[in-house]
Structure formats: C-alpha cells, structure tokens
C-alpha cells in the first residue's frame, strides 16, 4: 500500500518554509533604505500634497478645482512646449510635468536639489491654481504659506 501523509492541523504556507533549517532571509534592500521612487511618482506626489495643502487653507476657493497632470502640452491645445500649465475651463487646469522638470534644471541625485525641486513644483502648482482662480489665492501666496 502506498503511504499517505497525515495532515497536521497546522500547515505552513509554501512561502513560510525555511530553507535547510535556516530562517527566511530579509529583503535585499533592508529596512533602512528609502522607498524606491522615480521622477514621475515623485512629481505626482508633490502635486497631490500641494493640492491637499491648498484645499486645507482655502477650502471654499478649491471646492470645484480639478487639476490634471500631463507629460507635455498636446499640439492641438495651441500651447507652446515651454508652458508649465494650461487652464482648460473655469474649473480645471492641466499641469505639464516635462516643461516644469526642464525649467527647474537640477539633478535629483543630491538631497539639497530634491528640496529645491519640491519647492519649485509646489510654487508652480500654486501659480497654476491661482491663474485658474483669477488671482483667488493671492492672499495665501503673499502671506508666506
């Protein structure tokens, strides 16, 4: 007769098994390295956090504002390639990532440059939303927020 394995009440999943009696290995990156990111996710994160800030300090002005992100202006928009944003209608503005990154002109490999990059993107988002609101954020922009 063929032998049958008896199943025990506690069965480990395949991924929790140790190898040759050793415990599982830790991740290659380790727990103390920063999360991997790139230019595009970083840009989206900074834009999102800036919009969150603006919605906190000016909820009434920002309630109907929609902000989109595009790599470059489309040719049919009638906007040149150095434009950083384009107001589409009374409630929406599109921010262009590539012209902003080119105009800031810094490398993101230095931590000091990452701070300058973030400040530049934040400032550009605030200017674009202010343009959309026809100067509705002037008091916030000039009060040092």
């Amino acid at each position: 007769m063929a032998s049958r394995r008896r199943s025990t009440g506690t069965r480990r999943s395949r991924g929790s098994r140790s190898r040759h009696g050793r415990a599982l290995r830790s991740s290659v990156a380790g727990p103390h390295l920063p999360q991997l990111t790139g230019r595009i996710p970083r840009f989206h994160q900074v834009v999102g956090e800036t919009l969150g800030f603006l919605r906190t300090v000016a909820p009434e002005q920002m309630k109907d504002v929609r902000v989109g992100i595009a790599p470059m202006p489309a040719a049919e928009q009638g906007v040149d390639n150095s434009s950083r944003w384009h107001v589409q209608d009374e409630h929406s503005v599109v921010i262009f990532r590539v012209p902003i990154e080119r105009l800031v002109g810094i490398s993101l490999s230095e931590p000091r440059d990452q701070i300058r990059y973030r400040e530049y993107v934040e400032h550009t988002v605030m200017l674009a939303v202010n343009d959309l609101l026809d100067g509705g954020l002037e008091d916030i922009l000039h009060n040092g927020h």
Side-chain angles (χ1 to χ4, degrees):
M1 288 191 138
S3 67
R4 296 176 99 184
R5 280 189 179 178
R6 282 194 226 183
S7 67
T8 61
T10 59
R11 182 179 171 163
R12 288 188 276 179
S13 68
R14 190 162 181 82
S16 68
R17 213 182 281 170
S18 62
R19 184 175 173 182
H20 304 291
R22 291 178 279 185
L24 292 176
R25 298 178 185 174
S26 64
S27 81
V28 176
H32 304 293
L33 293 177
Q35 186 176 13
L36 296 176
T37 185
R39 289 176 300 122
I40 297 170
R42 182 180 294 136
F43 185 84
H44 283 261
Q45 180 180 3
V46 172
V47 170
E49 290 172 357
T50 305
L51 291 172
F53 168 76
L54 290 174
R55 285 190 170 93
T56 302
V57 297
E60 204 50 43
Q61 291 101 323
M62 294 292 294
K63 68 179 179 181
D64 294 330
V65 171
R66 291 186 316 266
V67 176
I69 299 173
M72 291 284 291
E76 61 271 0
Q77 285 179 323
V79 181
D80 65 351
N81 286 342
S82 65
S83 294
R84 295 176 290 169
W85 69 83
H86 174 67
V87 176
Q88 287 187 318
D89 58 41
E90 62 187 28
H91 298 293
S92 64
V93 63
V94 177
I95 298 174
F96 302 119
R97 180 185 55 80
V98 174
I100 291 171
E101 289 178 343
R102 286 182 181 163
L103 288 170
V104 73
I106 58 174
S107 168
L108 294 176
S109 59
E110 289 290 322
R112 210 173 331 157
D113 289 342
Q114 291 177 10
I115 294 169
R116 287 182 39 220
Y117 170 83
R118 181 179 186 89
E119 290 172 346
Y120 185 78
V121 173
E122 287 173 347
H123 184 69
T124 303
V125 170
M126 289 182 188
L127 290 175
V129 172
N130 189 49
D131 188 22
L132 173 69
L133 298 174
D134 292 326
L137 297 178
E138 289 292 328
D139 54 336
I140 294 169
L141 293 175
H142 294 298
N143 285 337
H145 280 288

